[in-house]
Amino acid sequence: MMKANYGYADGSGQYYITLDTDKCDGCGDCVRACPASVLEIVPNEFDIIDGGDIMSVREEHRKKLKYSCAPCKPTTGGGEPPCVTACPHGAITHFLSSAKGQVM
Amino acid sequence: MAEKEFWRWPEYRHTTPGINWREGKVISAGVDIGSVSSKTAIMVDGEMFAQSAMRTGSSSPDSAERTMNWALEDTGMTLKDIHYIVGTGYGRVNVPFAHKAITEIACHARGANYVWGPTVRTVLDMGGQDCKAIRCDERGKVQNFLMNDKCAAGTGRGMEVFADLLSVPIEEVGELSFTVDEEPPPVSSTCVVFAKSEAVGMLRSGWSKEKVLAAYCRAMAHRVVDLLNRVGVEKDFVITGGIAKNIGIVQRIEKELGIKALKPDKWRSDPRFDPMLAGAMGAALFAKALYERSKGQG
């Protein structure tokens, strides 16, 4: 089992988008659901022999997730972000790990 | 006379003595194009043969060619002799002669396994512009990794900026940061640009440059410990990337974590184990595996 964690922090706290690569089959539903085009489907470079394809956060978004994910982040009141609800396998989580003021 | 460039870390190449590459079955290479440095590791049957590390230029393909050519220099080997090449790092898709690109996260874990052995479980890659905390198994396969959107603070580029600001050669920063009577509070800014102006203020208020370096090293260490604690540190723990050579950062991370890094100085006696090249080494090992698989030997 392999878990990828992409973090971002803004004024409200520290957030993570995580992917369980064992559950991800690279279907791309999350990619189509993301309004900011943050995600993509790429070959699983963590298992080069028989990894198949998996979801990944695009390189160009990795240092600006706090802006890219701001409209849907889990504390906006809109419930689970679209990337999470779109995944038919429950492979993605997107959560606030510590609110501002707690240890990051 | 040109002003001394204090940020400029030594570029180098090295050939492992006593290896006749012509007798090797598999010659593989990894080329790691980072945001600050470009590295090549050439392996003969899975052992380090030749390597180079140099500054990344404005063009990734040019940087890839320069670091590869420098590693090949005086070895008698040419690019055509290498069976399989894997590109990694930020510029991995721009290595013109690579057969495949593999994320640096997988390569650093695999490289750390090569440098320090199968007991490594946690790898902290401190690169030129970002840091990644990686958990891996006894084969160096990634089980869990974590990165965040923090920018150049806590990275090689940030350290270059501070070396330059304080006119301290970058290789001496670590040692010098310990020559303070008392450990100062860390620099508070998370942005290099702000941290630099904070440091200028400290100098103006009478702080020695050693004290400012200590404050900056401590801030860098603190920032990556947050990252490590989130991924969970299991022994053995190692640090890769250029910053792994900065004792001022390494010891402060160890102190804050309460865990010692495994043989952080191994590279001093044997350049084959340069932690800055861990990504390139991992890429070279993946290249070997991919070549063998293509030949039906894997």
Side-chain angles (χ1 to χ4, degrees), chain A residues 64-79:
Chain A
K64 56 174 190 185
L65 283 175
K66 67 174 162 188
Y67 305 115
S68 311
C69 293
C72 324
K73 67 179 182 181
T75 48
T76 51

Side-chain angles (χ1 to χ4, degrees), chain B residues 17-293:
Chain B
I19 295 179
N20 181 358
W21 63 267
R22 288 172 211 277
E23 290 174 0
K25 282 194 198 67
V26 181
I27 297 170
S28 64
V31 180
D32 180 358
I33 307 300
S35 58
V36 167
S37 67
S38 296
K39 289 83 59 177
T40 293
I42 302 172
M43 290 190 171
V44 175
D45 295 332
E47 291 301 328
M48 280 296 278
F49 167 66
Q51 67 201 70
S52 77
M54 61 204 305
R55 200 157 180 87
T56 297
S58 52
S59 145
S60 293
D62 285 357
S63 299
E65 265 167 47
R66 280 169 44 229
T67 176
M68 172 56 82
N69 288 338
W70 204 25
L72 287 167
E73 200 176 284
D74 298 330
T75 59
M77 188 189 282
T78 66
L79 196 57
K80 290 198 298 286
D81 295 314
I82 305 175
H83 297 120
Y84 205 102
I85 301 172
V86 166
T88 189
Y90 194 75
R92 64 183 175 278
V93 294
N94 290 313
V95 179
F97 43 78
H99 300 88
K100 195 174 176 67
I102 296 179
T103 169
E104 66 272 22
I105 298 161
C107 291
H108 272 272
R110 186 71 188 83
N113 177 280
Y114 174 79
V115 172
W116 288 282
T119 59
V120 173
R121 290 293 175 279
T122 310
V123 180
L124 175 66
D125 166 27
M126 297 189 78
Q129 281 188 8
D130 61 11
C131 293
K132 292 158 190 114
I134 309 163
R135 290 278 298 270
C136 63
D137 67 13
E138 72 285 351
R139 293 166 301 155
K141 191 171 183 319
V142 178
Q143 291 191 315
N144 197 341
F145 78 84
L146 193 147
M147 61 169 74
N148 66 23
D149 64 344
K150 296 262 169 57
C151 63
T155 62
R157 183 65 196 125
M159 194 44 86
E160 289 180 0
V161 168
F162 267 68
D164 221 32
L165 173 72
L166 300 165
S167 306
V168 174
I170 196 155
E171 308 112 275
E172 294 169 23
V173 163
E175 288 289 346
L176 205 63
S177 74
F178 289 121
T179 58
V180 288
D181 298 331
E182 198 185 349
E183 186 82 348
V187 171
S188 60
S189 301
T190 51
C191 166
V192 173
V193 179
F194 292 142
K196 189 177 168 185
S197 65
E198 198 177 333
V200 170
M202 288 167 168
L203 290 169
R204 200 166 293 148
S205 70
W207 283 35
S208 67
K209 57 184 175 187
E210 291 81 359
K211 198 170 165 185
V212 174
L213 283 177
Y216 186 61
C217 287
R218 195 170 159 199
M220 277 180 71
H222 181 67
R223 213 153 291 139
V224 297
V225 166
D226 284 342
L227 200 66
L228 284 166
N229 283 335
R230 159 122 322 249
V231 80
V233 181
E234 187 189 340
K235 288 209 276 193
D236 284 325
F237 164 62
V238 299
I239 305 174
T240 62
I243 292 285
K245 296 178 175 183
N246 184 320
I247 197 80
I249 306 289
V250 173
Q251 289 189 7
R252 284 178 176 87
I253 292 171
E254 291 178 334
K255 192 177 166 201
E256 198 164 330
L257 271 184
I259 293 176
K260 291 268 185 204
L262 194 64
K263 295 184 195 161
D265 277 348
K266 202 176 178 185
W267 60 278
R268 286 187 196 273
S269 55
D270 193 336
R272 282 181 303 165
F273 301 123
D274 185 346
M276 190 170 169
L277 269 80
M281 293 180 204
L285 291 164
F286 284 132
K288 176 175 182 279
L290 287 162
Y291 178 73
E292 286 170 345
R293 182 165 171 259

